[in-house]
Amino acid sequence: GITSLLLLTGIISLTLAIMNALPIPALDGGRLFVTLLFRALKKPLTKDLEEKIHGTGFAFLLLLIVVITLADIGKFFG
């Protein structure tokens, strides 16, 4: 019923919020982590360096998605 649908929606929303807050570059938590890290080290964080850090993190996430997808396809047909 509607209660189960609302519970499922809440769980998905909470899971997405937790994943987004993780300190992984290219996610919001990663941006916060990098900013706080450079402030703690008292080093300047240029826009170019920030883009490289988050671009590398995003590429890693995409690569991870491809590897996991290929592993799942291999299990499905294997």
Side-chain angles (χ1 to χ4, degrees):
I2 189 74
T3 306
S4 297
L5 178 63
L6 289 176
L7 179 64
L8 180 62
T9 304
I11 290 172
I12 291 172
S13 180
L14 184 62
T15 304
L16 182 60
I18 291 170
M19 288 299 295
N20 198 28
L22 291 176
I24 300 171
L27 299 179
D28 291 335
R31 291 189 182 277
L32 178 64
F33 177 74
V34 169
T35 302
L36 293 176
L37 179 66
F38 274 82
R39 283 188 184 174
L41 296 175
K42 297 184 182 189
K43 292 188 176 184
L45 178 61
T46 63
K47 183 136 181 90
D48 187 48
L49 180 58
E50 185 179 9
E51 287 176 359
K52 286 180 184 177
I53 291 170
H54 296 300
T56 303
F58 185 69
F60 177 74
L61 287 175
L62 288 178
L63 179 65
L64 186 63
I65 290 170
V66 169
V67 168
I68 291 171
T69 301
L70 290 175
D72 285 347
I73 290 172
K75 288 179 186 176
F76 183 72
F77 290 112

